[in-house]
Amino acid sequence: QTVVTQEPSLTVSPGGTVTLTCASNTGPVTSDYYPNWFQQKPGQPPTSLIFGTSNRHSWTPARFSGSLLGDKAALTLSRVQPEDEADYFCLLYYGRRHVFGPGTKVTVL
Amino acid sequence: QVQLVESGGGSVRSGGSLRLSCAASAFTFTDYYLGWIRQSPEKGLEWVAYISKTGSRFYYEDSLKDRFTISRDNSKNSLYLQMNSLRVEDTAVYYCVRDADVAGPQFDPDYWGQGTLVIVSS
């Protein structure tokens, strides 16, 4: 069974930097998994942030960046703002199958 | 701007059926793959299915392909999900999503609808 894992929760101070990761139980996450990242605020649908590991959508603020970090996909939030408090989900591609991670709750405090 | 508006959700008894619809606007419908993703508190976000631009190819989450059918009507700019033999565990918000149409075999959701809630009771 394919399992994608993320940190359950992270806390960051306003103006700070936080990195979220996305791992696969099948092995190292590479660009062939085409990692995507999404943000979801309470009561709203997810919003797409990053596709293809590190590509921002036209609406994605530059303070959000995607990368590969060791064996994982990563989303780094820089210069964090209060409105970045949300749940963040990753999505990995496994040859026709697409599997979401359980999400990371980011608290800005 | 791009809009995806789902409809057709509701409450149904276990074993019943529902047909979800997604009305798309403000983009060239036939230029994009489309899909359905669902979300529940118990299972989180789950991929359901996606369909090619012409509607000739479909991809389903393995556990759902015998009960769910994805289709599209390019003349009506609409996407559908026929759900049969519904189970309590199918209870979720169902989102219509558009693919970003980036090169490669993967589906990169860019736009999401607001979702439609499906509740299946025993």
Side-chain angles (χ1 to χ4, degrees):
Chain A
Q1 183 185 0
T2 302
V3 177
V4 177
T5 56
Q6 299 181 244
E7 297 85 1
S9 63
L10 293 169
T11 300
V12 59
S13 300
T17 298
V18 63
T19 297
L20 291 62
T21 66
C22 177
S24 172
N25 70 335
T26 61
V29 175
T30 67
S31 58
D32 290 338
Y33 287 77
Y34 300 95
N36 277 248
W37 291 92
F38 308 92
Q39 178 192 67
Q40 188 176 32
K41 297 181 179 180
Q44 297 182 17
T47 300
S48 302
L49 293 174
I50 300 288
F51 63 96
T53 305
S54 59
N55 301 287
R56 296 184 193 90
H57 291 284
S58 59
W59 52 82
T60 303
R63 65 180 184 275
F64 293 89
S65 60
S67 64
L68 296 176
L69 196 63
D71 291 345
K72 303 176 184 180
L75 175 70
T76 298
L77 286 61
S78 305
R79 302 178 302 280
V80 170
Q81 301 183 5
E83 59 264 33
D84 296 336
E85 184 163 292
D87 293 326
Y88 292 83
F89 299 91
C90 66
L91 173 67
L92 300 180
Y93 170 73
Y94 293 86
R96 293 186 26 156
R97 284 201 74 207
H98 296 73
V99 180
F100 285 93
T104 296
K105 182 176 181 59
V106 171
T107 300
V108 181
L109 205 57
Chain B
Q1 72 274 25
V2 170
Q3 276 205 312
L4 301 167
V5 180
E6 303 93 338
S7 61
S11 295
V12 63
R13 298 292 291 269
S14 179
S17 298
L18 278 177
R19 188 192 195 212
L20 305 184
S21 300
C22 172
S25 59
F27 65 95
T28 303
F29 192 73
T30 52
D31 283 351
Y32 294 89
Y33 277 59
L34 298 166
W36 292 96
I37 291 169
R38 68 184 184 182
Q39 185 175 30
S40 65
E42 296 76 21
K43 297 184 180 181
L45 286 165
E46 286 185 289
W47 202 276
V48 174
Y50 61 102
I51 189 168
S52 64
K53 300 173 185 180
T54 62
S56 61
R57 288 174 292 173
F58 333 95
Y59 306 90
Y60 294 94
E61 178 61 26
D62 285 344
S63 62
L64 302 174
K65 62 184 177 183
D66 293 334
R67 300 187 294 120
F68 288 15
T69 302
I70 190 171
S71 62
R72 64 190 292 166
D73 186 337
N74 286 348
S75 69
K76 295 183 179 180
N77 283 9
S78 292
L79 175 72
Y80 305 102
L81 185 68
Q82 177 67 43
M83 304 186 295
N84 298 329
S85 302
L86 282 163
R87 304 168 180 168
V88 171
E89 54 265 34
D90 294 320
T91 295
V93 175
Y94 285 73
Y95 294 105
C96 172
V97 294
R98 192 188 81 165
D99 177 44
D101 196 33
V102 176
Q106 79 292 355
F107 190 114
D108 299 309
D110 58 0
Y111 288 93
W112 298 62
Q114 288 295 310
T116 187
L117 177 61
V118 172
I119 299 174
V120 184
S121 59
S122 58

